[in-house]
Amino acid sequence: MPLNEPVTPGVVDWTGENPGILLKDANGDFSAMALFFRVAWSPVGQGQVLLLYGTPGAVEGAAEAPNVILSDNAALTAYLKENFIGKLTAFANAPAFATLPEVAAQVVRSSGDPMGHRYAETISAAGLTVELVWEELEPPRALELTPDQVGTGEHTMFTLLVPAQSAQIIVNGRALPGEIGQRVQAGFETTTAFLYFCETWVIPPEET
C-alpha cells in the first residue's frame, strides 16, 4: 500500500559517509582534527572532501601538519562549509576556518574492514597524502537523532555509528600527535574517533 506521506518529512540536505578523528593533547585541547565526507547525494552532486586541521590553534598550519581541505568537487566543498561544517562549533570556530586553502584531491580510497580491527581512508594530492586510521572498532549502533542531538542544531539525522578506541591521523607518513577523547552522543558515551555510514541529514519541514 503506498504511503500518504514520506516516512521522514522534510528536505534531504545530503547523504553519504562522514567519518572523523579528533585528537587531543595532555591539556584536553584539540591537537589535530580531521573530518571526511564521501557524499552520495547532495544538491551540488557527489564528491569526497577532507577537512584537516593539522594545527587547529593556528591560522596557517605547519608544513608537516597543514590546515587544508582536499576535495574532488569544489561546489560540494563550498556547500558543506556553508551549510554543514560552518555549523559545527569545534570546526567553525577554528582560526583557520575562513581561510582554509583548498587543494584538488587526486586519489581517494578506503581500506580495511569496519567489521574487523582496522579501517582507513587515504586522500592524496600533489605533495600531500593524508591517511585516517581507525582501530579497535566497536559494534555498530543505529542512530536516529533529532535537531537538539546533532551538532548543527537544525537537522534530523540517521546513521550507523562505529566508534573506535584508537585512531591516527597520518600526514606524509608521520602520525600527528594526540590521543582520542571521550564524548557523549544521544545519551551514551563514545569517542572522538568515529565511522559514520549511511548518514542522512534532513531539514525538518518547519525549517524549510
Side-chain angles (χ1 to χ4, degrees):
M1 180 180 297
L3 297 172
N4 293 325
E5 61 182 14
V7 173
T8 303
V11 176
V12 175
D13 205 5
W14 63 273
T15 187
E17 300 173 14
N18 185 211
I21 300 172
L22 286 72
L23 302 179
K24 294 186 175 184
D25 61 22
N27 296 320
D29 298 322
F30 290 120
S31 58
M33 306 165 70
L35 196 59
F36 177 72
F37 300 83
R38 178 175 285 113
V39 173
W41 185 94
S42 81
V44 293
Q46 297 180 324
Q48 298 166 110
V49 178
L50 169 68
L51 185 155
L52 172 66
Y53 290 138
T55 312
V59 174
E60 295 184 6
E64 67 278 9
N67 297 329
V68 66
I69 288 180
L70 305 182
S71 171
D72 60 7
N73 181 339
L76 178 62
T77 300
Y79 181 81
L80 291 173
K81 284 189 68 177
E82 179 178 355
N83 296 288
F84 185 75
I85 302 170
K87 298 175 182 178
L88 304 178
T89 302
F91 289 90
N93 288 352
F97 179 72
T99 58
L100 275 170
E102 299 180 17
V103 178
Q106 297 175 340
V107 177
V108 183
R109 69 178 186 275
S110 59
S111 60
D113 183 356
M115 293 180 61
H117 175 70
R118 184 183 191 273
Y119 185 80
E121 294 284 358
T122 303
I123 306 93
S124 297
L128 179 63
T129 297
V130 180
E131 186 179 15
L132 310 180
V133 179
W134 296 263
E135 296 180 306
E136 298 180 49
L137 302 172
E138 298 181 11
R141 296 181 174 97
L143 303 181
E144 178 178 346
L145 304 181
T146 54
D148 61 305
Q149 296 175 312
V150 299
T152 66
E154 299 178 0
H155 296 80
T156 299
M157 191 266 277
F158 307 87
T159 190
L160 183 74
L161 167 62
V162 180
Q165 289 295 324
S166 178
Q168 294 183 86
I169 301 173
I170 302 170
V171 178
N172 288 343
R174 173 183 175 273
L176 299 184
E179 302 291 336
I180 65 171
Q182 300 298 308
R183 66 188 180 108
V184 176
Q185 183 169 47
F188 68 86
E189 292 188 2
T190 183
T191 76
T192 59
F194 41 84
L195 298 171
Y196 282 116
F197 295 106
C198 303
E199 186 171 277
T200 300
W201 294 81
V202 180
I203 303 171
E206 59 270 21
E207 299 294 333
T208 58

